[in-house]
Amino acid sequence: MNNNNNKFDWYVLDNAGKLYPSIMSWRVTTVFRISATLTIDIEPNLLQRALNKTINKFPFFKVNLKPGLFWYYFDYVNFFPTIEKETYYPCTGMELKKKGNFPFKILYYNKKISLEISHCITDGHGALIFMKSLLYEYFSFKNIIKESEEINNYSSNLFFEDSFKKHFNPNVPNPSPLPFAFHFPMELDSKGIYYIITGSLPLDKVLNICKSKNATVTEFFLAVYFETILDYIKLLERFDLPFKKVTYNTKCTSKS
């Protein structure tokens, strides 16, 4: 791997990213989406120019997924991804293992720009940074935004750091054996079937609740998600599982 001045030929996936290539399928896509809805229709030619400029700032995204001897790895490519007009359901499968395919898509439809990206390359934080940079370049080409110090200060070093290796503590003991994982008693949907659940919440009220719980927004929604699952388990009278809060490193990086 060559990583001089953030120029590289290939690099390994981080610990979290390694999981996804082995489980991705048309049923488990590992894809998530971030969208921005504007007040005017999207101009595809400007959006493509904005993507070309943005991805050069984040070479971590200018890659294809390749199989190695034991693990998949990302191979840097010299061509650019192409934006697409959205014609299908959100977060459908990506043929990431196919030659020439990027681990993300930039889609547009009327006034909306969407980034769909696989968890094998980044998480929500990294995707948000990339999306904000893309929007900044698009607005710059339309001459409707001033220079942003925040955007310009985004460092691609965040995308190269593997915090698992940096912060791993070998002295932490292995966890005790756990019972078998809970499986929801429902049949799997057929491959290629997707559902969309849409909702909205007032941000100020959400932030106030999180502050009262001494939690970040991510921590709060994770807690609600897991509590909902526990309520369902108790409803089925299947398990009585002990849970405890585990502290973790909150270093802000842009990998998974």
Side-chain angles (χ1 to χ4, degrees):
M1 178 169 62
N2 176 15
N3 187 20
N4 296 324
N5 298 321
N6 291 339
K7 303 282 186 181
F8 59 90
D9 301 314
W10 65 274
Y11 61 90
V12 297
L13 282 69
D14 64 23
N15 280 8
K18 287 178 181 177
L19 167 69
Y20 295 101
S22 61
I23 66 172
M24 65 176 59
S25 67
W26 290 106
R27 179 180 284 135
V28 182
T29 65
T30 76
V31 174
F32 65 99
R33 160 185 285 223
I34 295 178
S35 297
T37 302
L38 311 186
T39 57
I40 55 177
D41 286 342
I42 305 302
E43 296 185 46
N45 61 319
L46 294 186
L47 181 58
Q48 182 64 60
R49 289 174 60 190
L51 176 57
N52 292 349
K53 188 172 180 179
T54 301
I55 202 169
N56 279 332
K57 295 181 179 179
F58 300 97
F60 181 89
F61 282 9
K62 200 177 180 185
V63 294
N64 288 173
L65 184 67
K66 296 290 186 66
L69 184 59
F70 297 106
W71 302 101
Y72 284 89
Y73 66 95
F74 284 123
D75 190 36
Y76 182 80
V77 295
N78 290 316
F79 54 91
F80 292 90
T82 304
I83 64 169
E84 303 175 34
K85 185 173 183 179
E86 186 165 10
T87 57
Y88 200 54
Y89 295 108
C91 296
T92 56
M94 294 182 183
E95 296 183 282
L96 299 187
K97 300 174 186 178
K98 187 177 180 180
K99 184 178 180 180
N101 283 6
F102 289 84
F104 70 92
K105 293 179 180 179
I106 298 297
L107 308 170
Y108 69 94
Y109 184 78
N110 293 341
K111 299 179 176 64
K112 184 168 66 176
I113 299 173
S114 299
L115 165 64
E116 292 195 348
I117 188 165
S118 171
H119 261 299
C120 69
I121 189 170
T122 192
D123 59 11
H125 178 70
L128 185 60
I129 290 177
F130 186 78
M131 184 66 167
K132 289 169 69 174
S133 299
L134 175 66
L135 292 172
Y136 170 75
E137 297 299 343
Y138 179 76
F139 293 146
S140 295
F141 283 127
K142 291 185 67 68
N143 298 315
I144 56 175
I145 194 173
K146 295 181 180 180
E147 185 172 351
S148 168
E149 183 176 344
E150 176 191 2
I151 300 295
N152 289 335
N153 286 339
Y154 283 150
S155 172
S156 59
N157 288 328
L158 293 175
F159 289 86
F160 288 96
E161 179 181 305
D162 187 341
S163 285
F164 289 99
K165 292 181 178 179
K166 184 175 181 178
H167 299 281
F168 172 69
N169 184 356
N171 296 319
V172 174
N174 292 327
S176 302
L178 297 174
F180 290 110
F182 173 75
H183 291 262
F184 289 96
M186 298 100 167
E187 293 184 2
L188 294 175
D189 288 318
S190 300
K191 294 180 180 179
I193 300 297
Y194 303 94
Y195 297 94
I196 302 172
I197 300 175
T198 303
S200 61
L201 292 170
L203 180 60
D204 55 342
K205 293 183 179 180
V206 171
L207 292 176
N208 287 336
I209 293 174
C210 294
K211 186 176 180 179
S212 70
K213 303 292 184 180
N214 193 28
T216 65
V217 174
T218 299
E219 290 170 340
F220 174 71
F221 278 111
L222 279 174
V224 172
Y225 177 71
F226 284 122
E227 186 175 30
T228 303
I229 295 176
L230 284 173
D231 288 342
Y232 181 74
I233 293 174
K234 293 175 183 177
L235 183 65
L236 296 178
E237 297 180 347
R238 294 285 300 277
F239 297 101
D240 183 15
L241 301 177
F243 277 82
K244 63 179 180 179
K245 183 176 180 181
V246 178
T247 58
Y248 56 91
N249 167 53
T250 56
K251 167 76 175 178
C252 232
T253 67
S254 301
K255 284 196 172 186
S256 295

